Amino acid sequence: MTLAIIGGTGPQGQGLALRFARAGVPVALGSRDAARGKDIADELMTKLPEGCAKIEGMGNEDAVAASTECVMLAVPYAAHDATLEALKPHLSGKILIDIVVPLAPGDPKTVEMPPEGSATEAAQALLGPDIPVVGALHNVSATTLNNLDWAINCDILVCGDSLAARKVVMELVNKLDVTTYNSGNAKAARCIEAITPILIRQNISKAVPFTHAGIRIWAPDH
């Protein structure tokens, strides 16, 4: 399976490209600027050990075409809808994995949810029912993703209106040596996306003795 990451030249996209390539998943790294995408992909490959899958940089449309089944959207929220509008004609037969969080402009400690309720729901409304949208990977620190010496300290909550698509995405994300949880339909993204600014607040607080925290679901001791 080749995974396309749209917005792959940003911190989150780069970290995910590294993690998936190391896990054996080839990555088509999409960028509005194909030359920049290629340069970033070449740079990322120098950070990986021998034997990893390849990261190839290209334009966004070419990245979607190169994907086998899943296309991951990792752009800033300000570019979320416009990017999907541009790519919609090319997404037929694909699953869109939306990792975008609608952080408030100028204040990453809060969210400003769109009228649909969440970025995941907005993507589904924009793309229509024939292109399944799955929300995932909203709560993982980009710094953690980019440091391959660190384990991903976060469970992954996966939601979307298509159960079949959710299962595909969970199987893909499990390759990153994380635990995924089926969190239900797309409305669950309203809660999941809103966790991110809470984590950001904790991670930048001087009263908290750590940074780059994630979330874990713990089983009871009894």
Side-chain angles (χ1 to χ4, degrees):
M1 173 188 284
T2 296
L3 169 67
I5 301 180
I6 305 303
T9 57
Q12 203 86 1
Q14 289 187 43
L16 287 166
L18 286 170
R19 294 283 179 164
F20 278 109
R22 191 175 68 168
V25 179
V27 174
L29 197 76
S31 173
R32 289 178 300 173
D33 181 341
R36 172 170 165 75
K38 184 178 185 309
D39 289 344
I40 294 291
D42 290 346
E43 180 183 338
L44 291 175
M45 287 301 299
T46 67
K47 300 178 181 181
L48 291 169
E50 293 285 334
C52 292
K54 190 167 185 182
I55 304 171
E56 294 189 79
M58 57 195 76
N60 283 338
E61 292 182 11
D62 288 338
V64 172
S67 68
T68 308
E69 185 173 21
C70 293
V71 176
M72 184 172 290
L73 186 66
V75 298
Y77 180 62
H80 181 269
D81 289 4
T83 302
L84 288 179
E85 289 279 10
L87 293 179
K88 182 178 179 179
H90 310 283
L91 287 170
S92 179
K94 313 287 186 180
I95 296 170
L96 182 84
I97 306 172
D98 197 329
I99 75 166
V100 179
V101 175
L103 298 175
D107 185 6
K109 301 186 297 300
T110 59
V111 288
E112 285 189 6
M113 293 298 191
E116 294 83 359
S118 66
T120 301
E121 291 170 278
Q124 189 66 81
L126 192 155
L127 294 177
D130 295 333
I131 300 171
V133 175
V134 175
L137 294 158
H138 296 107
N139 312 133
V140 188
S141 160
T143 300
T144 296
L145 289 172
N146 279 280
N147 190 331
L148 295 179
D149 292 330
W150 295 351
I152 296 175
N153 60 331
C154 192
D155 292 336
I156 308 302
L157 306 178
V158 179
C159 64
D161 290 337
S162 166
L163 175 59
R166 262 182 271 157
K167 288 182 176 180
V168 169
V169 173
M170 290 173 72
E171 183 178 358
L172 173 64
V173 176
N174 281 339
K175 294 179 184 293
L176 302 184
D177 196 25
V178 295
T179 300
T180 57
Y181 287 94
N182 182 345
S183 301
N185 64 24
K187 286 184 179 180
R190 302 176 187 186
C191 302
I192 297 168
E193 293 173 19
I195 292 171
T196 296
I198 297 172
L199 290 172
I200 290 172
R201 178 180 290 276
Q202 300 310 309
N203 288 333
I204 65 177
S205 171
K206 294 179 180 179
V208 176
F210 53 74
T211 58
H212 315 307
I215 60 166
R216 284 270 171 84
I217 296 175
W218 290 97
D221 292 332
H222 54 77

